[in-house]
Amino acid sequence: MNSVGIDAVAVHAGKLRLDLAETFAPAMDEDPGKYTKGLGLHASSFPDVEEDIVTMGANAAHKLMERKGLTPEDIGRIDVATESAFDNAKPVSTYIAGCLEEVFEDDFHHANKGERKFACISGTQSLDDAYNWIRAGRHRGRAALVIATDTALYARGDAGEATQGAGAVAMLIAEDPDLVEMSLEQGFGSADETDFLKPNQQFPSVDGKRSVQVYLARMREALADYESVAGQTHPDQFEYIPFHTPFPGMVRKAALFGYRHMIRDTDIEETVATDIGRQPRIEEFDDESQYHDAVREYMDALKETDAYGEWYDRAIEPTLDIARHVGNWYTGSVHVARASALRRAREEDIDMAGKQLLVGSYGSGAQAEIHAETVQENWTDEIDALDIDEQLTERRDITFEEYEEIHDVHNHDKEADIDAFTTPSEEFVRDGPGPMDERTYRYVE
Ligand code: CAA
């Protein structure tokens, strides 16, 4: 069996930019440091008036197909991962295929289309579906298009408003991929949780502080489950560790837990032990709360060690470069983190071919998944083709008043009629409602 993985990736960022420190924090009467230092965010990307999950997804997919010289005949399935769907029956993938059929001569009638739901982890689950379809040999030599697209907006006044974002990631999953091969081994941590949900409502109900704890607990389970099939992990084994990134501060917490776990019983634990002692082991304590206190104390000390700092700067920090400027993209977020790391590797001229990534995905509700990826020979062509820097630079900055307007435009319960802030060119945009009040789209030359 040939290797299977991600052959190509393209992104589309919402075309508006809200500066969190300069614009949002003062309007909310908050210290900008909460955003830049605490959450680790500088800006959020927002969809303009004529953008939504379909236009962003179709624009990313169109770019990817054009660049790879693909036609609809080359694609055997289209899966969309989103938690921002506006239709409970017709999947977003059909809307996106309809858009693409406007610009390609052929159609996608032969392609299996679907929509995946499990909060932010459904992007990775769609990769799994495509991987399994190819490995099962049902793909007839064709590739799968996976599109993770979201408008991650929260109700005005919700604490989550600080972490908003909007964008899409399109990925081509194929045999003999050019970017990364996905491992057969994977680990899961899954439990019935109510940390973040949208029971038939547009904006989420979130228990923010609890969601952070649930993320960490499920990620820890997933790592242990991954190790049960792949063997013990070691920090030096992986060049980068892209995590689901609702905000970089979340990854900072997860990375410290992950590092403590990975160095247990290794040379690194012995080296740092001369300064901070060995990790507490539960069997050394009569009382569980004393053990947890000792772990907290150990982690505070571990965070300050050179070994941890150097590992964090090498393996984690590069995964956060893009997230800091776009906010949370829900289903696309972990895939932005992978792209961010590889983009940094390119900037630093690191030869990544054959090197390993450990990818940690998470979805509220809740489930974490961990698998490894091996970077392929042609990865530089794929990363050089990413136009994320141009997109981020071209975004239109919005004032706080404009932010309030655009939030209303995308709020399904409000009527807001304002002109778009940007002028579309060579992209899909929303059009007026169709005869069944459905959303319609057109391509602007
Ligand atoms: N300087 C430096 N740091 C500051 C600061 C300042 N002036 N002011 C605050 N901070 C720090 C705080 O200490 C805190 O850091 P720690 O957690 O390390 O202590 C951080 O900035 C955030 O400050 P608050 O906790 O006061 O912020 P908040 O009350 O507004 O809530 C939140 C933060 C709970 C994450 C909220 O934004 C939220 O609900 N977000 C949505 C839910 C979410 O993203 N959860 C993540 C896990 S769930 C998931 O991953 C799925 C998903 O995509 C949604």
Side-chain angles (χ1 to χ4, degrees):
M1 180 72 200
N2 292 333
S3 64
V4 178
I6 306 174
D7 188 57
V9 60
V11 295
H12 180 93
K15 290 166 73 179
L16 305 180
R17 175 183 181 276
L18 175 67
D19 192 298
L20 293 168
E22 303 273 321
T23 307
F24 192 69
M28 303 302 280
D29 206 16
E30 284 176 323
D31 185 335
K34 169 180 161 180
Y35 295 86
T36 52
K37 297 198 183 86
L39 297 168
L41 287 169
H42 295 275
S44 303
S45 54
F46 273 86
D48 201 347
V49 173
E50 295 171 313
E51 292 188 293
D52 71 1
I53 50 171
V54 172
T55 65
M56 294 189 301
N59 286 321
H62 183 209
K63 200 169 359 186
L64 183 149
M65 287 184 65
E66 289 273 282
R67 188 170 71 65
K68 296 293 276 190
L70 300 171
T71 68
E73 282 303 308
D74 300 314
I75 306 294
R77 58 187 289 155
I78 305 177
D79 288 307
V80 168
T82 186
E83 45 189 305
S84 321
F86 48 82
D87 190 318
N88 287 326
K90 184 174 152 60
V92 173
S93 49
T94 59
Y95 289 93
I96 290 182
C99 287
L100 295 173
E101 283 170 358
E102 283 185 45
V103 294
F104 287 104
E105 260 177 40
D106 302 326
D107 60 47
F108 289 96
H109 289 198
H110 57 277
N112 185 6
K113 307 181 188 87
E115 189 173 304
R116 255 288 192 174
K117 180 177 75 179
F118 195 148
C120 307
I121 201 172
S122 62
T124 298
Q125 289 183 316
S126 301
L127 293 188
D128 265 0
D129 294 340
Y131 179 96
N132 295 338
W133 171 70
I134 294 172
R135 285 198 66 112
R138 303 178 91 179
H139 61 306
R140 295 185 245 156
R142 298 168 307 181
L145 193 52
V146 166
I147 302 158
T149 180
D150 271 299
T151 46
L153 303 189
Y154 291 76
R156 296 294 314 282
D158 188 288
E161 210 181 352
T163 64
Q164 298 176 115
V169 181
M171 290 166 280
L172 192 73
I173 318 308
E175 277 183 276
D176 289 329
D178 280 342
L179 190 59
V180 292
E181 176 187 356
M182 290 164 65
S183 67
L184 192 59
E185 297 81 13
Q186 57 183 166
F188 292 98
S190 189
D192 177 12
E193 300 276 7
T194 46
D195 52 330
F196 171 111
L197 40 150
K198 294 185 179 185
N200 287 326
Q201 63 195 40
Q202 184 190 3
F203 299 124
S205 300
V206 197
D207 184 343
K209 304 285 179 209
R210 183 162 158 64
S211 73
V212 169
Q213 296 312 317
V214 175
Y215 178 120
L216 296 173
R218 301 290 79 81
M219 201 61 90
R220 190 170 22 219
E221 283 173 359
L223 182 56
D225 192 46
Y226 173 74
E227 289 183 329
S228 75
V229 279
Q232 197 187 342
T233 52
H234 187 283
D236 296 343
Q237 200 182 336
F238 304 102
E239 196 66 20
Y240 298 110
I241 305 188
F243 280 101
H244 168 58
T245 311
F247 54 93
M250 179 72 243
V251 172
R252 200 170 50 218
K253 293 181 205 291
L256 185 58
F257 275 99
Y259 188 75
R260 174 175 70 99
H261 181 97
M262 285 196 277
I263 66 168
R264 196 174 301 143
D265 297 322
T266 68
D267 51 324
I268 301 179
E269 181 179 25
E270 290 311 318
T271 309
V272 296
T274 48
D275 290 329
I276 64 169
R278 285 177 81 240
Q279 296 191 25
R281 267 52 173 187
I282 188 133
E283 55 277 9
E284 295 162 1
F285 293 82
D286 297 330
D287 180 277
E288 206 172 312
S289 74
Q290 279 176 357
Y291 165 68
H292 289 302
D293 288 347
V295 168
R296 254 191 300 277
E297 213 175 290
Y298 178 81
M299 300 232 318
D300 285 345
L302 182 63
K303 194 163 54 180
E304 302 306 324
T305 62
D306 288 345
Y308 176 72
E310 284 161 18
W311 171 81
Y312 185 90
D313 287 348
R314 174 184 65 72
I316 306 293
E317 184 57 37
T319 70
L320 305 173
D321 289 345
I322 300 175
R324 290 191 193 289
H325 300 281
V326 302
N328 193 357
W329 286 11
Y330 287 163
T331 55
S333 155
V334 65
H335 309 292
V336 166
R338 178 197 297 103
S340 178
L342 293 176
R343 171 172 158 272
R344 178 80 86 88
R346 199 70 186 111
E347 278 165 18
E348 294 179 358
D349 215 11
I350 298 172
D351 180 7
M352 286 295 296
K355 297 217 166 118
Q356 298 257 300
L357 312 177
L358 190 69
V359 181
S361 303
Y362 175 73
S364 296
Q367 181 162 303
E369 188 263 7
I370 289 188
H371 68 266
E373 294 178 356
T374 308
V375 180
Q376 302 296 289
E377 287 292 331
N378 291 338
W379 72 281
T380 50
D381 293 347
E382 297 311 313
I383 297 305
D384 290 352
L386 271 181
D387 62 348
I388 184 73
D389 292 310
E390 292 86 321
Q391 287 187 45
L392 297 190
T393 313
E394 280 168 17
R395 284 180 302 177
R396 154 83 153 70
D397 263 302
I398 49 175
T399 64
F400 188 75
E401 291 68 31
E402 289 169 339
Y403 161 68
E404 293 189 299
E405 288 175 345
I406 200 73
H407 198 287
D408 283 351
V409 165
H410 293 289
N411 183 336
H412 299 169
D413 295 330
K414 291 205 172 170
E415 292 286 333
D417 189 16
I418 59 167
D419 291 336
F421 293 100
T422 58
T423 308
S425 164
E426 297 185 355
E427 63 193 288
F428 298 102
V429 295
R430 262 189 88 173
D431 211 344
M436 288 173 77
D437 207 27
E438 76 276 21
R439 292 193 183 193
T440 67
Y441 301 90
R442 70 194 154 88
Y443 186 74
V444 178
E445 296 290 344

